[in-house]
Amino acid sequence: QVQLVESGGGLVQAGGFLRLSCVVSGDLFGIYGWGWYRQAPGKQRELVASVTYDGNSNYDDSVKGRFTISRDNNKSMVYLQMNSLKPEDTAVYYCHVNRFARDFWGQGTQVTVSS
């Protein structure tokens, strides 16, 4: 089993920044990728950014150039640096890992961007 706990969400004005953190614990062997998803009210959950075990990262077009995903293997943490935030970035953000083709999720952290 893998447990994920997110933190760092909050309320910020448009143009501001936030840094989300995710502590990953449990059986970490075999994790293929780490990622951040978000879900806005009335919308489906969508991938924001991901990074594989060998360092390949991927971003949704809407966040390219503004968001950066990173990992700290020593601390078993995943981060999402979010800059130049926009009201449309408002959503609950979820940390995710894929381990042996199974998905594990955190409980989510709310990000609200005011205009």
Side-chain angles (χ1 to χ4, degrees):
Q1 290 287 359
V2 180
Q3 296 80 42
L4 303 97
V5 179
E6 305 97 334
S7 62
L11 173 64
V12 64
Q13 289 187 334
F17 64 92
L18 285 173
R19 189 194 195 203
L20 304 184
S21 300
C22 175
V23 179
V24 184
S25 61
D27 194 346
L28 306 185
F29 174 77
I31 291 180
Y32 175 80
W34 296 257
W36 288 94
Y37 286 71
R38 67 186 178 188
Q39 187 167 19
K43 295 187 177 181
Q44 290 188 335
R45 191 173 297 189
E46 63 178 6
L47 175 66
V48 176
S50 64
V51 59
T52 60
Y53 72 98
D54 55 355
N56 291 316
S57 59
N58 179 56
Y59 296 90
D60 184 80
D61 286 344
S62 67
V63 306
K64 283 182 180 177
R66 300 188 297 122
F67 291 10
T68 303
I69 188 171
S70 61
R71 284 192 295 130
D72 184 331
N73 288 336
N74 292 332
K75 297 181 180 178
S76 297
M77 297 194 67
V78 186
Y79 304 99
L80 185 67
Q81 179 67 41
M82 306 187 295
N83 298 329
S84 302
L85 283 161
K86 304 176 181 180
E88 51 263 45
D89 295 319
T90 295
V92 178
Y93 283 71
Y94 298 90
C95 184
H96 166 269
V97 299
N98 180 278
R99 178 180 182 271
F100 294 128
R102 286 188 62 189
D103 295 317
F104 296 88
W105 299 92
Q107 82 288 350
T109 184
Q110 176 70 46
V111 171
T112 303
V113 184
S114 63
S115 57

